[in-house]
Every structure is written in structure tokens, then in C-alpha cells.
Amino acid sequence: MLLFLALGVGLAQTLVEVTAVAALSAGLDPAVRLPAGSYKARSPEPLLARFPEAKGYALEAFAAKGVAARLHAAFVQQVLTAFAAAGYLLESQEERVVDGEVRTKYVLKDSLGRPALLLVVRKGDELVYGFGKRK
């Protein structure tokens, strides 16, 4: 019984806590339409802990739930396409694996040349991403 309880607690841990509200657009830029399966995270702090270079950015975090989370590559491509449609062009990307997490940083520029970040963390069936604009 104790083993079952310990296993249940381990499965309940997630990269971020999400609200029950599906996110339709990014609050920092309402022109960015987020893919179905995106939920607003309660706090961007877990992403900031993984990407300290993002501390100079206003950041909002989202999590993919359900089937969307299991289709990592396709979901991330949908997110990038949504940003491109809103005028954010990809400047560079950097990926690293830390403790079983795949952490990818996308550096974007808006139509006026201002920097923005798209941060993605994948681990198992979990996918968390954040969007940030320079403060």
C-alpha cells in the first residue's frame, strides 16, 4: 500500500501546474493563436529556473495536455507556426538535455526587430512552453 501511495505521488508531479482554462492566445501578444491543447500555467517560475537567461523577459508559461503533449514535435511545430503567423521570425535555436529533460530555446524577432523567446521543456509525456518579450 505504501509503495502504491509513493508511486501515485511521483506520477502527480508535473513540470508546471496549469489552470483549468484553455489558452487561446498569448497574453503578451493576442495576435499569437495557441494550438488546441494549450493550458495557461499558474507561474513561469519553473521555466525561469531552467532558462536563467530568460530573467530579462516578461514570460508567460503554458502546458500541453492530452494527445497534444504526446505529439511533441508536431505540437512544437504548431506553436512555431502560430508565432510566425503573428510576425515572429526564428533567429536561432539551441537544445540541450538535462536530467532527462529536453530543453529548447528559440530566439525570435518580431516585425520591428524586437527580441522574444520561446522556451520548450519536454520530459516523458509532458510538454511545457513559455513565451517571453524583453522587459
Side-chain angles (χ1 to χ4, degrees):
M1 181 67 166
L2 184 59
L3 178 61
F4 178 74
L5 290 174
L7 184 60
V9 170
L11 293 175
Q13 293 177 332
T14 60
L15 294 172
V16 295
E17 291 184 39
V18 297
T19 63
V21 178
L24 300 176
S25 64
L28 293 173
D29 189 337
V32 177
R33 305 298 298 168
L34 301 175
S38 294
Y39 290 82
K40 181 98 169 114
R42 294 177 196 242
S43 169
E45 291 306 316
L47 279 175
L48 286 171
R50 289 166 171 84
F51 296 94
E53 64 271 30
K55 290 203 187 300
Y57 288 78
L59 189 71
E60 57 185 348
F62 305 92
K65 303 287 277 175
V67 175
R70 291 183 189 94
L71 301 172
H72 292 164
F75 187 83
V76 171
Q77 187 58 49
Q78 284 183 356
V79 172
L80 286 169
T81 300
F83 278 91
Y88 292 90
L89 300 179
L90 180 63
E91 290 286 311
S92 65
Q93 85 180 60
E94 178 183 316
E95 185 171 281
R96 62 184 186 267
V97 178
V98 179
D99 296 329
E101 292 181 346
V102 179
R103 300 176 183 177
T104 309
K105 177 178 73 174
Y106 299 92
V107 177
L108 309 169
K109 294 270 175 127
D110 70 8
S111 58
L112 299 175
R114 295 176 296 207
L117 292 178
L118 177 64
L119 309 171
V120 179
V121 178
R122 295 174 292 156
K123 184 174 185 178
D125 283 345
E126 291 185 89
L127 186 139
V128 174
Y129 66 101
F131 170 59
K133 294 172 98 175
R134 190 172 302 274
K135 293 180 183 176

